[in-house]
Amino acid sequence: MPGSQAPRWRFLITPKWLAWHLIMVASVAGMLALGDWQLHRALAGNGLSWAYTFEWPIFAVFGVVFWAKTIRDEFRPPVSATPGDEAVALPAGAVPAPAGARPDGEGAEVDAELAAYNAYLARLHGEVKGHGRWHGLR
Amino acid sequence: MRINVILYRVMAYVTGVILIVLCALAIGQVWTSDGAAVNAVGTVHGLLYIVYLIVSYPLTRRLRLAVPATIAVLLAGTVPVMTFVVEYRIRHRYIEPALAQQDAGPREAPRPVA
């Protein structure tokens, strides 16, 4: 259904993620403030502070870049994750039918078996590709 | 992936060792008041920590670690001894399973028995 497609970004405004956003903004602001503080110390004659004057802004940039990448990665997998969830309920197709159950002719049986096997391979492929999607954030 | 793991482990150990050296020197400063060595090692650790971040962040994404675990990995480089602890845990819990799965890879699925 189309309604379930639109709010993919919704997870970003869940309380947990809002808290993370706040923490990130606060820590980046904190790093910039520390950099500014070190700049003042450096200008006051503390030689070592020059290193930290550049280091803190670098950490702040890292924070922003890493955060952006984390969010971008969260967007990517749902395409494979959603069918994967459905496929988990499907291994019945992968389990070979009992040897006795052969109502059709041999050809139909092979086709069904092949289709089931292909579905199984596709499911494995999807699971491997999307592996860990739900191991990550919970 | 494998290169990333090796780089991460190397940087985890190097950063961890330098940090312990830094702490030892900082404690020693109480008696010797020799600030130069502490400053030098501190700057080196700062630079190594930047490299550590650059190396370890991509690995956390490849392993698809949760946000808290990712932050734990990234901050480990600033807490004495923590890199060793975190590296050990991450290796056993995430890296080894991920590598094992990668080796198994698109392994041939068991054939349905008719």
Side-chain angles (χ1 to χ4, degrees):
Chain A
M1 59 188 168
S4 65
Q5 292 285 344
R8 256 218 266 148
W9 52 270
R10 273 289 176 80
F11 72 90
L12 288 174
I13 54 169
T14 55
K16 186 181 76 177
W17 277 89
L18 281 178
W20 283 124
H21 297 329
L22 272 179
I23 291 171
M24 281 311 293
V25 169
S27 56
V28 167
M31 290 184 229
L32 290 176
L34 282 165
D36 186 56
W37 169 60
Q38 291 291 347
L39 176 63
H40 284 291
R41 276 178 42 146
L43 290 175
N46 185 337
L48 181 62
S49 285
W50 280 118
Y52 297 119
T53 302
F54 294 103
E55 202 165 353
W56 279 115
I58 289 174
F59 288 153
V61 170
F62 277 4
V64 172
V65 170
F66 289 177
W67 192 240
K69 195 166 167 1
T70 303
I71 289 173
R72 210 188 60 185
D73 283 353
E74 282 304 304
F75 272 108
R76 230 183 286 154
V79 181
S80 71
T82 313
D85 286 347
E86 291 158 14
V88 171
L90 173 146
V95 176
R102 289 200 179 188
D104 306 325
E106 188 62 28
E109 169 66 24
V110 168
D111 281 353
E113 196 178 277
L114 186 66
Y117 183 59
N118 282 336
Y120 179 54
L121 286 183
R123 184 173 63 81
L124 279 184
H125 180 64
E127 277 179 4
V128 168
K129 270 182 88 177
H131 174 77
R133 170 66 184 84
W134 300 109
H135 298 199
L137 280 145
R138 59 165 77 111
Chain B
M1 174 85 173
R2 214 166 266 283
I3 292 169
N4 205 164
V5 167
I6 292 167
L7 285 176
Y8 164 69
R9 293 195 58 199
V10 168
M11 284 316 297
Y13 278 94
V14 170
T15 312
V17 168
I18 285 282
L19 188 53
I20 288 173
V21 170
L22 176 60
C23 285
L25 285 174
I27 294 168
Q29 210 179 7
V30 172
W31 297 286
T32 61
S33 69
D34 174 27
V38 175
N39 286 359
V41 176
T43 310
V44 169
H45 173 258
L47 292 174
L48 284 174
Y49 181 57
I50 292 175
V51 178
Y52 172 81
L53 288 181
I54 292 172
V55 163
S56 56
Y57 183 76
L59 184 66
T60 66
R61 292 300 86 204
R62 290 210 178 134
L63 297 174
R64 297 206 147 273
L65 296 187
V67 171
T70 300
I71 290 174
V73 170
L74 296 183
L75 287 186
T78 63
V79 184
V81 189
M82 201 53 113
T83 47
F84 306 116
V85 177
V86 169
E87 190 271 341
Y88 180 85
R89 287 220 184 145
I90 292 288
R91 176 155 47 93
H92 282 267
R93 216 184 281 175
Y94 297 104
I95 292 176
E96 281 172 359
L99 286 180
Q101 201 203 21
Q102 195 185 36
D103 287 344
R107 156 186 61 194
E108 197 181 325
R111 273 231 160 247
V113 188

